[in-house]
Amino acid sequence: MKHHYREIAWLIFLFFLAWLPRALALDAYVSPDERKWLARSANFAYALSHADFAQTFQREHPGVTVMWAGMLGLLSVYPDYPQEAPGYFTWERENFEAWIEANTEHTPLELLAAGRWWIALGVTLLLWLSIFPLRRLIGRNAAYLAFLFLAVDPFGVALSRQLHPDGFVASFVFLSLMFFLAWLYAGRHWRDVVIAGVLMGLAWLTKTPAALLAPVGGILVAAQCVRIWRTRWQLAPSDPYADAPDGDAVRTLERQARAKAMIVRLCTGYIWWGIVAVAVFVLLWPAMWSDPVGSLLRMATEMEAYVEGHVNPNFFLGAPTDNPGPLFYPIALFFRITPAVTIGLAAALVFYVRRNWIFAEARTRRTVRALTFFVIVFIVVMTAPAKKFDRYILPVFLALDVIAAVGWMALVQTPWRIDASHWQRRLRAISPTVVLLSIVFVLHGVFTGLTYPYYLTYFNPLAGGSRTAPNVLFVGWGEGLDEAARWLNAQPDSENFRIAAWYADGPFSYFSDGVAVPMGYSSPLSWLDTDYAVTYVNQWQRQLPSPEAVAWFESQTPAHEVHKDGLTLARVYDLRQTLLPPFIDLNTAPAADFGGAIRLVGVDGNFARMAPGEQQLVTFYLQALAPMETNYNVLVRLVGQDGGELWRSEGWPWGAPTAEWPVREVRPDGHTLTITPDAPPGLYQLVLSFYDPATFEPLPAVDARSGEAIPAGERKVALVQVGEPATIAAIDPPFRFGDLAHLAGAAVETSDATPAALTVRLQWDVLTTPTIDYTTFVHVVNSAGELVAQQDQPPLAGFAPTHTWQPGQRIIDAITLSLPTDLPPDQYTVRLGLYAGEPRLPVSQGDAAVGDFAVVGGFDR
């Protein structure tokens, strides 16, 4: 009797051993997909309460068991939700969270943690139940050891405490397989088939890869049928025909009949396994009650699109990739298993071949063979789709934990020879149970404790651990973003922060006091009007949202970093004093501040050259720097070198009056630039200003980078070439001035009428728009290299500052110098260059660097 109570106590202890690491700190961090499953669970609850069964189809996975768990968690905290909810929520955006926070006393994190509690409980119970079929398959001690491996596996623990299908489906698949193997190899009790069928149906309801159970089971049954038929002549000792002659017809028929009956029984059991699974699939998914065919077709259609590839690239072997290929899962497997599992698998291979100790049992060998077959099939099939993540093969890890436990049992049972009798006595005194528990703790479970609560940061130290993993595998699934949010929450005025973050929806927003903005692919302007940016480890790995963006952030100094287990998980950048970075596909050169209230962030448009009668949309991106009480007008003009106005547009900017602009939000303002049919050809300047419509007083303006005042508050934005530009005698090959422009033509002109004047005409072919304004210098030197005359001035005497130059434009400039009246006879050289402080722009011609100026001509006196 005491033994019975000890057994019960031991089983209870094992249950809590698996439960605790899964149930602790359920609000520690959020993975990217959990927010969606929380919203789907809410929709599931609403659909059930309103008998709208078709709406219980929320995803092709189909994730029904996850939604049952999420619904139980939601209703345990907020039982009135189905009656008070306004309807269904889309899960692409945080509409559900916004409604919860605005209309209830609950938080999304509280509801998520409640749903996670049911997932953790369910997975723990499923793993605990595996002890019972395992005891019949591999023996009592091996079953308990296998459960210890399952209970504290860091990768398994990490994925079995999330409101997500992966942990649930792995547990259902594994337990269904265990009961199926118990039926197949350990007694063929019908209750095992029924339990396995229920579990397979639940697995199907969780995620579609569980469908692999059916063909794997079918092949195992077929193999067992072949084994029975081949051994049909091996009679039991009680066989009434054991003493009959070998050729006795009755004996032969009896043996064949018995083998056929066993085969029929196996096939019948396999069929019932599937029937029970189908019944559970239908009974527990209300969508199957109202539209079974439509639901299955929708699953198939949406799953086909789902497996085609990643929306975002994956990362493997040091590079972003859309399809990591066949090596992905074997390498990922090695990085995610523990040293104890690695050693146990090697031992299992050795002792399986030798058939020693625990492997002497045929039932154990068959179980190990079946699990190995399942592992191989699952990995091969999951390798076919382009979309791959290590968590997709979680069922494999559970199977390998069992095989590794059997390998360790064989190791402990082996009578190792040790020469020193002293150590022999010591080792004999140590209980094998103590040895096994110590091994499991030191080489397996200790990693779960060390990585708590970010269990996903574990990587096999035999593969290089967290030092090597970021160079090989995709790293990070939300862990660390909670810490970044908490750091920001500790900063002054954090509730007013606007923060761009990778995995903003859920992993960051659930913990942030400020407004979280996704750092997505569309226009970076959607997140660069923020106070802070939070970048993430797999964002750097995959070069998202672009390599230019990643490189720019890496060149900045972060305000804070999040580190865990040797990994840098997240970096926080202060953007409050930062203009748009250069990787933005937007002309930010004319950035200017108007009255300390409105910032011109940049301009978008293709107006380098326009023909008379042509129209072009010009979009200005404007940002409110401070709250405004006045609704200012914007004034956009196109003016010529003589000051004449060719076109204008004015009024309120797009969208809303300026008094309603949220601070720091970037807003577009578009104007249709129109060139009249009779417009004379030439260069025109696009200028921007703001004024108070009540007083017509313009807002003062300053350059956003330098802070220098802008005359009359009118910012020169861009040059517009109307018609065809003129040309000047070509320089072949042209001089290149940095990355700014080619000097493609030059002419030096003197006049007998005014011998004291020298005119240098220049043809610039623009390569890029700089953010600073360069000044042109012209130097005249004598044959000794001595400077005799010079003229420094901005292009076109200030009408065409270089920050307004547009790539592809041709700019004709003329600079006139005054020469000394007493200039002695000599050969004089004209040099030309550009500068904005020190140093000057470098000059090259062809492939050769020529210094910091170009020689454009000369004259004799």
Side-chain angles (χ1 to χ4, degrees), residues 37 177 179 345 394 441 471 618 765 825:
W37 284 108
L177 184 60
F179 273 103
L345 292 175
L394 183 58
F441 175 75
N471 300 318
V618 179
D765 289 345

Side-chain angles (χ1 to χ4, degrees), residues 574-622:
D574 189 343
L575 300 181
R576 288 174 293 183
Q577 302 302 319
T578 304
L579 290 170
L580 290 185
F583 64 82
I584 301 299
D585 188 18
L586 190 71
N587 180 7
T588 63
D593 294 341
F594 297 85
I598 301 174
R599 170 169 290 174
L600 169 63
V601 174
V603 60
D604 186 25
N606 184 19
F607 37 75
R609 183 179 301 178
M610 297 181 66
E614 186 178 349
Q615 292 184 332
Q616 171 69 44
L617 178 64
V618 179
T619 305
F620 299 98
Y621 289 88
L622 308 172

Side-chain angles (χ1 to χ4, degrees), residues 662-687:
V663 175
R664 289 196 58 79
E665 182 174 298
V666 174
R667 306 174 66 89
D669 177 41
H671 301 264
T672 302
L673 173 59
T674 303
I675 306 299
T676 59
D678 58 350
L683 277 176
Y684 293 84
Q685 188 64 256
L686 188 68
V687 295

Side-chain angles (χ1 to χ4, degrees), residues 350-588:
V350 172
F351 288 105
Y352 177 86
V353 172
R354 297 176 59 180
R355 296 194 176 191
N356 285 345
W357 313 113
I358 191 173
F359 283 99
E361 291 287 338
R363 189 175 298 170
T364 300
R365 293 199 307 275
R366 290 172 185 172
T367 301
V368 169
R369 266 201 311 268
L371 290 175
T372 303
F373 174 70
F374 168 76
V375 166
I376 294 171
V377 170
F378 204 90
I379 289 177
V380 169
V381 173
M382 295 303 291
T383 297
K387 192 170 186 178
K388 298 178 181 68
F389 282 118
D390 49 11
R391 66 180 186 272
Y392 289 177
I393 59 165
L394 183 58
V396 165
F397 287 83
L398 306 185
L400 292 179
D401 281 342
V402 173
I403 298 173
V406 177
W408 275 106
M409 286 298 299
L411 277 173
V412 172
Q413 293 172 349
T414 303
W416 298 102
R417 295 185 177 276
I418 301 176
D419 294 334
S421 60
H422 171 73
W423 288 107
Q424 282 184 348
R425 289 193 300 272
R426 283 179 172 267
L427 288 171
R428 286 171 185 160
I430 299 175
S431 166
T433 303
V434 174
V435 172
L436 289 177
L437 290 177
S438 300
I439 289 169
V440 171
F441 175 75
V442 174
L443 298 178
H444 191 69
V446 70
F447 300 109
T448 302
L450 292 175
T451 55
Y452 168 87
Y454 295 165
Y455 302 116
L456 280 176
T457 59
Y458 166 77
F459 293 97
N460 190 351
L462 298 180
S466 57
R467 185 186 70 257
T468 305
N471 300 318
V472 179
L473 293 176
F474 180 97
V475 173
W477 206 34
E479 59 273 21
L481 289 173
D482 56 311
E483 288 297 327
R486 292 187 183 100
W487 183 86
L488 285 163
N489 293 344
Q491 308 309 307
D493 198 33
S494 62
E495 64 275 7
N496 294 319
F497 287 166
R498 183 175 166 88
I499 306 155
W502 199 249
Y503 296 149
D505 294 341
F508 184 81
S509 64
Y510 276 25
F511 301 92
S512 175
D513 291 342
V515 177
V517 181
M519 192 181 292
Y521 299 97
S522 50
S523 171
L525 292 170
S526 64
W527 53 267
L528 282 171
D529 55 348
T530 55
D531 300 292
Y532 287 88
V534 180
T535 63
Y536 197 55
V537 54
N538 66 51
Q539 180 185 0
W540 317 326
Q541 288 181 308
R542 297 180 290 169
Q543 298 289 292
L544 298 174
S546 68
E548 295 80 9
V550 172
W552 183 81
F553 276 115
E554 288 180 346
S555 69
Q556 310 301 306
T557 301
H560 180 68
E561 290 187 334
V562 178
H563 300 276
K564 176 67 174 176
D565 301 318
L567 295 170
T568 301
L569 295 171
R571 295 184 180 123
V572 182
Y573 295 89
D574 189 343
L575 300 181
R576 288 174 293 183
Q577 302 302 319
T578 304
L579 290 170
L580 290 185
F583 64 82
I584 301 299
D585 188 18
L586 190 71
N587 180 7
T588 63

